[in-house]
Amino acid sequence: MKGKSDMASIFEKMIQDFIRKDMAQLLEECMKPDVKKAKKIPLRYRLIAIGFVSHMTLDELDSKLKENGCEQLYARNQVEATLIYAFLKGFSYEEWLNLERICREMNDDRTDMWFNSSTVTYRELREYVRQNSDITEEELQTQKVTRKLRRQIEKSTTEEDFLKFMEDNREDFCVVREKARYYFCKYLCYYIEEKTEAYLAARKSGFGQEQTLAELNVLKCVELLRKKFKDDQEIREALLDCAISFGNIYDAFNYFYFEYVSTDWMEILMDGYQGSLSRMSEKEIEFLAHAIRSYEDGWDELSDEEVIQRKVQEIEEQECLKDSQYAREESKRQTYQKNRSGEKSVRSYIKGVTDLDRTTLICYLLFMGQESLENKERVMTRERLDQILLECGYAMLRDGDDFDRFVIQYLEVDDRMGFLMESVADAARSEKNFYLYHMYQGAVSENKKLRTLID
C-alpha cells in the first residue's frame, strides 16, 4: 500500500501525461496493443475515441459508456453537445473536430452567470436553486433542461440547424455537469435550512443553543447572531445575506463521516494494541513497523520498536491538534488551514469550476440528506439517490460495485452511523484506505479534460 504523497503524485502524473496528448494521439494509442499506455487514459475518453474509430452510433456509444459505469454524453456541455451531434450523424473525428472549433469560436466569450464574486451568500445559493427549478406549491422540481437540449440536438437535420441551436441556447451551456452542481446546491440549501431551524428552536427553548450555533457555522454568521432581533423571521432574513463558509462545509462533511478521516489503517491497528509493544508478537511488531516505514522517509535506521514508539507519540500529538481542528467554533482558524484543499473543492463545486464526479456527489448527498434531518422527505433513500444519479447522467446504484454496495447497505441498515463507523474501521484493519480518503484530490474539470483532447 502506498503512502498519501505517493498516491497523490501518481494521480498527478497520470493527469499530466493525459493532458499532454491530443485526441489523435489518444486514438492512436487506444488502437495499439500497448495495454499499459492505454490504461493511463481515463476509460470514458478511451470509449469515446474507440467510438470514432469503430463508427459507433450515438445509442451504441451511450450504451457502451453506461455498461462500463461511465457518464453518458451530456447535452448541457458545449463540447459534449457537439459529440452528441457528431455521433448522431456518423461524423469522422476530423469532421467533429472542425464542428467543435466553430462552436467554440461562437461561444468562447460566455461566462457563468452565477456566483462571480469572491463570496457566495445563502441568498445567492437559494436563488440559483430556485431559478433552476420548477416550483410547485413551494416544492422544487428539477427542470428538464438537459433533456430538452438533447431532444433539440436530435432534431437538428443539418449542420446549419445545429449551429443555430448552439447559438440560440448558448446561455444554457456550462463547463461542468450542471445537474450534479444543481443537486449539490439544492441539498446544501436543505442542510442550511435544517441547521437554521434547529438554532431557532434552541434559541427559543434555551437548550442546546451553543451546539446548534456551532453547527450553523456553514454560514459566516456568528457576529451577526450576537445582535438583537425582534422575531425568528427577522433572523432568517438576516442569515440569507451571510456568506457561505466553504471550509466549514467541508469540515462538517469530514466530521460527519469520520472524526479520524485522516487516520490511516495502521493507526487504528495501534489503537487496538493501545500503543503497547508488550501486547504484540515479534511478527506483529515487524509487520507494523514495516507498514509505518512505507509512509515515513528517513525512518529506516530506527529499530522496529523505535519506529512504533515514534509513531505512537506522533499520533498522540495529532489527536491533540485534531481536537482543536474539529471543534465546531468559528474562532478556530486552524480548521481553514487544515482543510484548505477541501475548502477549495467545495468552492469549485458551487461556482461551477470543478465537476462533481459520481462518488463525490453521492457522498455529499448522503451527508446533506442524513437521517437526522427533521424533514424526512429530504432524507436520502436509495430510490431518491437512484433518481438523482439518473438525472445527472450517472449510473444507478449497482449491487456488483464495491462502493455502490457500501452505499446500498448504508441506506438500508437501521443504524446508519454505526454501520459507517464500522465500515471505516474494517477498511483500516484490512490495510485499505476508505472510499473518501483521496476524494477531493481527484476533483477535476471534465470540460478541461475534453478541451485538452482537441487543442
Short mmCIF file of all heavy atoms in Angstrom, two decimals, residues 15-70:
data_model
loop_
_atom_site.label_atom_id
_atom_site.label_comp_id
_atom_site.label_asym_id
_atom_site.label_seq_id
_atom_site.Cartn_x
_atom_site.Cartn_y
_atom_site.Cartn_z
N ILE A 15 -2.58 12.53 -14.74
CA ILE A 15 -3.28 13.66 -15.35
C ILE A 15 -2.34 14.45 -16.24
O ILE A 15 -2.69 14.85 -17.35
CB ILE A 15 -3.88 14.57 -14.26
CG1 ILE A 15 -4.97 13.81 -13.50
CG2 ILE A 15 -4.45 15.84 -14.87
CD1 ILE A 15 -6.10 13.30 -14.37
N GLN A 16 -1.10 14.68 -15.78
CA GLN A 16 -0.13 15.42 -16.59
C GLN A 16 0.17 14.68 -17.88
O GLN A 16 0.25 15.28 -18.96
CB GLN A 16 1.16 15.64 -15.80
CG GLN A 16 1.00 16.68 -14.69
CD GLN A 16 2.12 16.63 -13.68
OE1 GLN A 16 3.08 15.87 -13.84
NE2 GLN A 16 2.01 17.42 -12.64
N ASP A 17 0.34 13.36 -17.79
CA ASP A 17 0.57 12.57 -19.01
C ASP A 17 -0.61 12.69 -19.95
O ASP A 17 -0.46 12.79 -21.17
CB ASP A 17 0.78 11.09 -18.65
CG ASP A 17 2.13 10.86 -17.98
OD1 ASP A 17 2.98 11.76 -18.05
OD2 ASP A 17 2.31 9.79 -17.39
N PHE A 18 -1.81 12.69 -19.37
CA PHE A 18 -3.02 12.71 -20.18
C PHE A 18 -3.18 14.04 -20.91
O PHE A 18 -3.46 14.07 -22.10
CB PHE A 18 -4.22 12.46 -19.27
CG PHE A 18 -5.54 12.63 -19.97
CD1 PHE A 18 -5.92 11.78 -20.98
CD2 PHE A 18 -6.38 13.66 -19.60
CE1 PHE A 18 -7.13 11.94 -21.61
CE2 PHE A 18 -7.59 13.82 -20.24
CZ PHE A 18 -7.98 12.96 -21.24
N ILE A 19 -2.96 15.16 -20.20
CA ILE A 19 -3.24 16.46 -20.81
C ILE A 19 -2.20 16.86 -21.83
O ILE A 19 -2.41 17.80 -22.59
CB ILE A 19 -3.38 17.57 -19.74
CG1 ILE A 19 -2.06 17.77 -18.99
CG2 ILE A 19 -4.51 17.28 -18.79
CD1 ILE A 19 -2.11 18.90 -17.97
N ARG A 20 -1.08 16.15 -21.88
CA ARG A 20 -0.08 16.46 -22.90
C ARG A 20 -0.43 15.83 -24.25
O ARG A 20 0.21 16.13 -25.25
CB ARG A 20 1.30 15.98 -22.44
CG ARG A 20 1.96 16.91 -21.44
CD ARG A 20 3.44 16.62 -21.35
NE ARG A 20 3.70 15.36 -20.69
CZ ARG A 20 3.98 15.26 -19.39
NH1 ARG A 20 4.01 16.33 -18.64
NH2 ARG A 20 4.22 14.07 -18.85
N LYS A 21 -1.42 14.98 -24.28
CA LYS A 21 -1.77 14.28 -25.51
C LYS A 21 -3.02 14.90 -26.13
O LYS A 21 -3.91 15.34 -25.43
CB LYS A 21 -2.04 12.80 -25.21
CG LYS A 21 -0.83 12.04 -24.67
CD LYS A 21 -1.21 10.60 -24.39
CE LYS A 21 0.01 9.79 -23.99
NZ LYS A 21 0.54 10.17 -22.69
N ASP A 22 -3.08 14.93 -27.46
CA ASP A 22 -4.31 15.36 -28.10
C ASP A 22 -5.10 14.13 -28.52
O ASP A 22 -4.68 12.99 -28.35
CB ASP A 22 -4.03 16.30 -29.28
CG ASP A 22 -3.20 15.62 -30.37
OD1 ASP A 22 -3.18 14.38 -30.42
OD2 ASP A 22 -2.57 16.35 -31.15
N MET A 23 -6.28 14.36 -29.08
CA MET A 23 -7.17 13.25 -29.41
C MET A 23 -6.54 12.29 -30.41
O MET A 23 -6.71 11.08 -30.32
CB MET A 23 -8.50 13.79 -29.94
CG MET A 23 -9.48 12.71 -30.38
SD MET A 23 -10.05 11.66 -29.01
CE MET A 23 -11.59 12.45 -28.62
N ALA A 24 -5.81 12.84 -31.39
CA ALA A 24 -5.19 11.98 -32.39
C ALA A 24 -4.23 10.98 -31.74
O ALA A 24 -4.23 9.79 -32.07
CB ALA A 24 -4.45 12.83 -33.42
N GLN A 25 -3.43 11.46 -30.79
CA GLN A 25 -2.51 10.57 -30.08
C GLN A 25 -3.27 9.53 -29.27
O GLN A 25 -2.90 8.36 -29.22
CB GLN A 25 -1.60 11.37 -29.16
CG GLN A 25 -0.55 12.20 -29.89
CD GLN A 25 0.22 13.04 -28.90
OE1 GLN A 25 -0.30 14.00 -28.35
NE2 GLN A 25 1.47 12.68 -28.68
N LEU A 26 -4.36 9.98 -28.63
CA LEU A 26 -5.16 9.06 -27.82
C LEU A 26 -5.77 7.96 -28.69
O LEU A 26 -5.77 6.79 -28.32
CB LEU A 26 -6.26 9.83 -27.09
CG LEU A 26 -5.80 10.74 -25.95
CD1 LEU A 26 -6.97 11.58 -25.45
CD2 LEU A 26 -5.22 9.93 -24.81
N LEU A 27 -6.29 8.37 -29.83
CA LEU A 27 -6.86 7.38 -30.75
C LEU A 27 -5.82 6.36 -31.17
O LEU A 27 -6.06 5.16 -31.17
CB LEU A 27 -7.43 8.08 -31.98
CG LEU A 27 -8.76 8.81 -31.81
CD1 LEU A 27 -9.06 9.63 -33.04
CD2 LEU A 27 -9.87 7.82 -31.57
N GLU A 28 -4.64 6.88 -31.50
CA GLU A 28 -3.57 6.01 -31.95
C GLU A 28 -3.17 5.02 -30.85
O GLU A 28 -3.00 3.83 -31.09
CB GLU A 28 -2.37 6.85 -32.38
CG GLU A 28 -1.23 6.04 -32.98
CD GLU A 28 -0.07 6.92 -33.43
OE1 GLU A 28 -0.23 8.15 -33.42
OE2 GLU A 28 0.98 6.36 -33.78
N GLU A 29 -3.03 5.52 -29.64
CA GLU A 29 -2.63 4.67 -28.52
C GLU A 29 -3.71 3.68 -28.15
O GLU A 29 -3.43 2.55 -27.73
CB GLU A 29 -2.24 5.52 -27.32
CG GLU A 29 -0.94 6.28 -27.53
CD GLU A 29 -0.44 6.94 -26.26
OE1 GLU A 29 -1.02 6.68 -25.20
OE2 GLU A 29 0.52 7.70 -26.35
N CYS A 30 -4.99 4.09 -28.28
CA CYS A 30 -6.09 3.18 -27.97
C CYS A 30 -6.11 1.97 -28.90
O CYS A 30 -6.56 0.89 -28.53
CB CYS A 30 -7.42 3.91 -28.06
SG CYS A 30 -7.77 4.97 -26.65
N MET A 31 -5.63 2.17 -30.11
CA MET A 31 -5.67 1.10 -31.10
C MET A 31 -4.42 0.23 -31.08
O MET A 31 -4.36 -0.79 -31.76
CB MET A 31 -5.86 1.68 -32.51
CG MET A 31 -7.14 2.50 -32.64
SD MET A 31 -8.62 1.60 -32.10
CE MET A 31 -8.68 0.31 -33.36
N LYS A 32 -3.43 0.62 -30.31
CA LYS A 32 -2.21 -0.17 -30.20
C LYS A 32 -2.38 -1.24 -29.12
O LYS A 32 -3.17 -1.07 -28.19
CB LYS A 32 -1.02 0.72 -29.84
CG LYS A 32 -0.55 1.61 -30.99
CD LYS A 32 0.63 2.46 -30.54
CE LYS A 32 1.13 3.34 -31.67
NZ LYS A 32 2.25 4.21 -31.24
N PRO A 33 -1.62 -2.33 -29.21
CA PRO A 33 -1.73 -3.39 -28.20
C PRO A 33 -0.97 -3.07 -26.92
O PRO A 33 -0.75 -3.96 -26.12
CB PRO A 33 -1.12 -4.60 -28.92
CG PRO A 33 -0.12 -4.02 -29.86
CD PRO A 33 -0.71 -2.72 -30.32
N ASP A 34 -0.55 -1.84 -26.73
CA ASP A 34 0.19 -1.45 -25.53
C ASP A 34 -0.80 -1.17 -24.41
O ASP A 34 -1.28 -0.05 -24.25
CB ASP A 34 1.06 -0.22 -25.81
CG ASP A 34 2.04 0.06 -24.67
OD1 ASP A 34 1.74 -0.37 -23.53
OD2 ASP A 34 3.08 0.67 -24.91
N VAL A 35 -1.13 -2.19 -23.65
CA VAL A 35 -2.17 -2.08 -22.62
C VAL A 35 -1.80 -1.08 -21.54
O VAL A 35 -2.64 -0.33 -21.05
CB VAL A 35 -2.44 -3.47 -22.00
CG1 VAL A 35 -3.47 -3.36 -20.89
CG2 VAL A 35 -2.89 -4.45 -23.07
N LYS A 36 -0.52 -1.05 -21.16
CA LYS A 36 -0.09 -0.16 -20.08
C LYS A 36 -0.35 1.30 -20.44
O LYS A 36 -0.81 2.09 -19.62
CB LYS A 36 1.39 -0.38 -19.77
CG LYS A 36 1.67 -1.69 -19.05
CD LYS A 36 3.13 -1.80 -18.66
CE LYS A 36 3.39 -3.10 -17.90
NZ LYS A 36 4.82 -3.24 -17.53
N LYS A 37 -0.02 1.70 -21.69
CA LYS A 37 -0.24 3.08 -22.10
C LYS A 37 -1.73 3.39 -22.19
O LYS A 37 -2.18 4.46 -21.79
CB LYS A 37 0.44 3.35 -23.44
CG LYS A 37 1.94 3.54 -23.35
CD LYS A 37 2.51 4.01 -24.69
CE LYS A 37 4.01 4.30 -24.55
NZ LYS A 37 4.59 4.78 -25.83
N ALA A 38 -2.49 2.46 -22.73
CA ALA A 38 -3.92 2.68 -22.88
C ALA A 38 -4.61 2.86 -21.54
O ALA A 38 -5.53 3.66 -21.40
CB ALA A 38 -4.55 1.51 -23.64
N LYS A 39 -4.14 2.12 -20.52
CA LYS A 39 -4.77 2.20 -19.20
C LYS A 39 -4.57 3.55 -18.53
O LYS A 39 -5.28 3.90 -17.60
CB LYS A 39 -4.24 1.09 -18.30
CG LYS A 39 -4.86 -0.28 -18.60
CD LYS A 39 -4.41 -1.33 -17.61
CE LYS A 39 -5.13 -2.65 -17.86
NZ LYS A 39 -4.70 -3.70 -16.93
N LYS A 40 -3.58 4.32 -18.98
CA LYS A 40 -3.35 5.65 -18.40
C LYS A 40 -4.42 6.64 -18.85
O LYS A 40 -4.62 7.66 -18.22
CB LYS A 40 -1.97 6.17 -18.80
CG LYS A 40 -0.82 5.52 -18.04
CD LYS A 40 0.49 6.26 -18.33
CE LYS A 40 1.63 5.70 -17.50
NZ LYS A 40 2.88 6.45 -17.75
N ILE A 41 -5.07 6.34 -19.97
CA ILE A 41 -6.11 7.23 -20.48
C ILE A 41 -7.42 6.89 -19.77
O ILE A 41 -7.82 5.73 -19.73
CB ILE A 41 -6.28 7.04 -22.00
CG1 ILE A 41 -4.95 7.28 -22.72
CG2 ILE A 41 -7.36 7.96 -22.55
CD1 ILE A 41 -4.94 6.84 -24.15
N PRO A 42 -8.11 7.87 -19.17
CA PRO A 42 -9.37 7.59 -18.49
C PRO A 42 -10.33 6.81 -19.40
O PRO A 42 -10.45 7.11 -20.60
CB PRO A 42 -9.91 8.98 -18.15
CG PRO A 42 -8.68 9.81 -18.00
CD PRO A 42 -7.73 9.30 -19.04
N LEU A 43 -10.99 5.82 -18.83
CA LEU A 43 -11.81 4.90 -19.61
C LEU A 43 -12.86 5.62 -20.45
O LEU A 43 -13.10 5.25 -21.61
CB LEU A 43 -12.50 3.91 -18.66
CG LEU A 43 -13.47 2.91 -19.31
CD1 LEU A 43 -12.74 2.05 -20.34
CD2 LEU A 43 -14.11 2.04 -18.24
N ARG A 44 -13.48 6.65 -19.89
CA ARG A 44 -14.54 7.34 -20.63
C ARG A 44 -14.04 7.87 -21.96
O ARG A 44 -14.71 7.78 -22.99
CB ARG A 44 -15.10 8.48 -19.78
CG ARG A 44 -16.30 9.19 -20.42
CD ARG A 44 -16.94 10.14 -19.44
NE ARG A 44 -18.17 10.69 -19.94
CZ ARG A 44 -18.31 11.92 -20.41
NH1 ARG A 44 -17.27 12.74 -20.44
NH2 ARG A 44 -19.48 12.36 -20.84
N TYR A 45 -12.82 8.42 -21.97
CA TYR A 45 -12.28 9.01 -23.19
C TYR A 45 -11.75 7.96 -24.15
O TYR A 45 -11.79 8.13 -25.37
CB TYR A 45 -11.23 10.06 -22.82
CG TYR A 45 -11.84 11.08 -21.90
CD1 TYR A 45 -11.57 11.05 -20.53
CD2 TYR A 45 -12.78 11.98 -22.36
CE1 TYR A 45 -12.19 11.93 -19.68
CE2 TYR A 45 -13.40 12.86 -21.51
CZ TYR A 45 -13.11 12.85 -20.17
OH TYR A 45 -13.74 13.70 -19.32
N ARG A 46 -11.32 6.84 -23.59
CA ARG A 46 -10.95 5.72 -24.45
C ARG A 46 -12.17 5.22 -25.22
O ARG A 46 -12.09 4.92 -26.41
CB ARG A 46 -10.36 4.57 -23.61
CG ARG A 46 -8.89 4.74 -23.27
CD ARG A 46 -8.38 3.51 -22.55
NE ARG A 46 -8.69 3.55 -21.13
CZ ARG A 46 -8.79 2.49 -20.35
NH1 ARG A 46 -8.64 1.29 -20.85
NH2 ARG A 46 -9.04 2.62 -19.06
N LEU A 47 -13.31 5.14 -24.52
CA LEU A 47 -14.52 4.66 -25.17
C LEU A 47 -15.01 5.63 -26.24
O LEU A 47 -15.47 5.22 -27.31
CB LEU A 47 -15.61 4.42 -24.13
CG LEU A 47 -15.35 3.27 -23.14
CD1 LEU A 47 -16.44 3.23 -22.08
CD2 LEU A 47 -15.26 1.94 -23.87
N ILE A 48 -14.92 6.95 -25.95
CA ILE A 48 -15.31 7.94 -26.95
C ILE A 48 -14.39 7.85 -28.17
O ILE A 48 -14.84 7.89 -29.32
CB ILE A 48 -15.28 9.36 -26.36
CG1 ILE A 48 -16.37 9.51 -25.28
CG2 ILE A 48 -15.48 10.41 -27.45
CD1 ILE A 48 -16.29 10.80 -24.49
N ALA A 49 -13.09 7.70 -27.90
CA ALA A 49 -12.13 7.58 -29.00
C ALA A 49 -12.41 6.35 -29.84
O ALA A 49 -12.43 6.40 -31.08
CB ALA A 49 -10.70 7.54 -28.44
N ILE A 50 -12.66 5.23 -29.18
CA ILE A 50 -12.96 3.99 -29.89
C ILE A 50 -14.27 4.13 -30.66
O ILE A 50 -14.44 3.55 -31.74
CB ILE A 50 -13.02 2.81 -28.89
CG1 ILE A 50 -11.62 2.53 -28.34
CG2 ILE A 50 -13.59 1.56 -29.55
CD1 ILE A 50 -11.61 1.56 -27.18
N GLY A 51 -15.19 4.93 -30.11
CA GLY A 51 -16.46 5.18 -30.80
C GLY A 51 -16.25 5.78 -32.17
O GLY A 51 -16.92 5.40 -33.15
N PHE A 52 -15.31 6.73 -32.27
CA PHE A 52 -15.00 7.32 -33.57
C PHE A 52 -14.37 6.28 -34.51
O PHE A 52 -14.73 6.16 -35.67
CB PHE A 52 -14.05 8.50 -33.40
CG PHE A 52 -14.73 9.79 -33.08
CD1 PHE A 52 -14.53 10.41 -31.86
CD2 PHE A 52 -15.57 10.40 -34.01
CE1 PHE A 52 -15.15 11.61 -31.56
CE2 PHE A 52 -16.21 11.61 -33.71
CZ PHE A 52 -16.00 12.22 -32.48
N VAL A 53 -13.41 5.55 -33.97
CA VAL A 53 -12.67 4.59 -34.79
C VAL A 53 -13.59 3.48 -35.32
O VAL A 53 -13.48 3.05 -36.47
CB VAL A 53 -11.50 3.98 -34.00
CG1 VAL A 53 -10.83 2.87 -34.79
CG2 VAL A 53 -10.49 5.06 -33.65
N SER A 54 -14.50 3.02 -34.46
CA SER A 54 -15.36 1.90 -34.84
C SER A 54 -16.71 2.35 -35.40
O SER A 54 -17.61 1.53 -35.60
CB SER A 54 -15.58 0.97 -33.65
OG SER A 54 -16.14 1.68 -32.56
N HIS A 55 -16.87 3.65 -35.65
CA HIS A 55 -18.08 4.21 -36.27
C HIS A 55 -19.34 3.85 -35.50
O HIS A 55 -20.35 3.44 -36.07
CB HIS A 55 -18.20 3.72 -37.73
CG HIS A 55 -16.97 3.97 -38.54
ND1 HIS A 55 -16.57 5.24 -38.92
CD2 HIS A 55 -16.02 3.12 -39.03
CE1 HIS A 55 -15.45 5.16 -39.62
NE2 HIS A 55 -15.08 3.89 -39.69
N MET A 56 -19.29 4.00 -34.17
CA MET A 56 -20.46 3.73 -33.35
C MET A 56 -21.55 4.76 -33.61
O MET A 56 -21.28 5.93 -33.92
CB MET A 56 -20.11 3.78 -31.86
CG MET A 56 -19.29 2.63 -31.35
SD MET A 56 -19.06 2.81 -29.54
CE MET A 56 -17.87 1.50 -29.23
N THR A 57 -22.80 4.33 -33.44
CA THR A 57 -23.91 5.28 -33.41
C THR A 57 -23.95 5.91 -32.01
O THR A 57 -23.29 5.44 -31.08
CB THR A 57 -25.25 4.58 -33.67
OG1 THR A 57 -25.51 3.65 -32.60
CG2 THR A 57 -25.21 3.83 -35.00
N LEU A 58 -24.77 6.95 -31.87
CA LEU A 58 -24.90 7.58 -30.56
C LEU A 58 -25.45 6.60 -29.53
O LEU A 58 -24.95 6.53 -28.40
CB LEU A 58 -25.81 8.81 -30.65
CG LEU A 58 -26.06 9.55 -29.33
CD1 LEU A 58 -24.76 10.10 -28.75
CD2 LEU A 58 -27.07 10.69 -29.54
N ASP A 59 -26.45 5.83 -29.90
CA ASP A 59 -27.03 4.85 -28.98
C ASP A 59 -26.01 3.80 -28.56
O ASP A 59 -25.94 3.40 -27.40
CB ASP A 59 -28.24 4.16 -29.61
CG ASP A 59 -29.45 5.08 -29.68
OD1 ASP A 59 -29.47 6.10 -28.97
OD2 ASP A 59 -30.38 4.77 -30.46
N GLU A 60 -25.20 3.37 -29.51
CA GLU A 60 -24.18 2.37 -29.21
C GLU A 60 -23.13 2.93 -28.25
O GLU A 60 -22.70 2.25 -27.31
CB GLU A 60 -23.51 1.90 -30.50
CG GLU A 60 -24.40 1.01 -31.35
CD GLU A 60 -23.81 0.72 -32.73
OE1 GLU A 60 -22.92 1.48 -33.18
OE2 GLU A 60 -24.25 -0.24 -33.37
N LEU A 61 -22.72 4.17 -28.48
CA LEU A 61 -21.72 4.79 -27.59
C LEU A 61 -22.30 5.00 -26.19
O LEU A 61 -21.65 4.68 -25.19
CB LEU A 61 -21.24 6.12 -28.16
CG LEU A 61 -20.24 6.89 -27.28
CD1 LEU A 61 -18.98 6.07 -27.02
CD2 LEU A 61 -19.89 8.23 -27.90
N ASP A 62 -23.52 5.52 -26.12
CA ASP A 62 -24.14 5.72 -24.80
C ASP A 62 -24.29 4.41 -24.05
O ASP A 62 -24.08 4.33 -22.84
CB ASP A 62 -25.50 6.40 -24.96
CG ASP A 62 -25.41 7.92 -24.96
OD1 ASP A 62 -24.36 8.46 -24.53
OD2 ASP A 62 -26.37 8.57 -25.39
N SER A 63 -24.65 3.35 -24.78
CA SER A 63 -24.79 2.03 -24.15
C SER A 63 -23.44 1.53 -23.64
O SER A 63 -23.34 0.98 -22.54
CB SER A 63 -25.37 1.02 -25.15
OG SER A 63 -26.69 1.37 -25.49
N LYS A 64 -22.41 1.74 -24.46
CA LYS A 64 -21.07 1.30 -24.06
C LYS A 64 -20.59 2.06 -22.83
O LYS A 64 -20.00 1.48 -21.91
CB LYS A 64 -20.10 1.48 -25.22
CG LYS A 64 -18.70 0.93 -24.98
CD LYS A 64 -18.70 -0.58 -24.79
CE LYS A 64 -19.07 -1.32 -26.05
NZ LYS A 64 -18.95 -2.79 -25.87
N LEU A 65 -20.83 3.36 -22.79
CA LEU A 65 -20.45 4.16 -21.63
C LEU A 65 -21.20 3.69 -20.39
O LEU A 65 -20.61 3.53 -19.32
CB LEU A 65 -20.74 5.65 -21.90
CG LEU A 65 -19.86 6.34 -22.94
CD1 LEU A 65 -20.44 7.71 -23.31
CD2 LEU A 65 -18.43 6.51 -22.41
N LYS A 66 -22.49 3.46 -20.53
CA LYS A 66 -23.31 3.03 -19.40
C LYS A 66 -22.87 1.67 -18.89
O LYS A 66 -22.79 1.44 -17.68
CB LYS A 66 -24.78 3.00 -19.83
CG LYS A 66 -25.75 2.73 -18.70
CD LYS A 66 -27.19 2.82 -19.19
CE LYS A 66 -28.16 2.55 -18.04
NZ LYS A 66 -29.58 2.63 -18.52
N GLU A 67 -22.61 0.73 -19.82
CA GLU A 67 -22.18 -0.61 -19.44
C GLU A 67 -20.91 -0.59 -18.59
O GLU A 67 -20.70 -1.44 -17.73
CB GLU A 67 -21.91 -1.45 -20.70
CG GLU A 67 -23.15 -1.91 -21.42
CD GLU A 67 -22.82 -2.50 -22.79
OE1 GLU A 67 -21.62 -2.80 -23.02
OE2 GLU A 67 -23.73 -2.65 -23.61
N ASN A 68 -20.05 0.39 -18.87
CA ASN A 68 -18.76 0.47 -18.17
C ASN A 68 -18.77 1.45 -17.01
O ASN A 68 -17.73 1.82 -16.48
CB ASN A 68 -17.67 0.86 -19.18
CG ASN A 68 -17.32 -0.27 -20.11
OD1 ASN A 68 -16.50 -1.12 -19.79
ND2 ASN A 68 -17.97 -0.30 -21.27
N GLY A 69 -19.98 1.87 -16.60
CA GLY A 69 -20.10 2.75 -15.43
C GLY A 69 -19.63 4.17 -15.68
O GLY A 69 -19.32 4.89 -14.73
N CYS A 70 -19.55 4.58 -16.95
CA CYS A 70 -19.10 5.94 -17.29
C CYS A 70 -20.30 6.84 -17.58
O CYS A 70 -21.37 6.37 -17.99
CB CYS A 70 -18.20 5.91 -18.53
SG CYS A 70 -16.70 4.94 -18.32
#
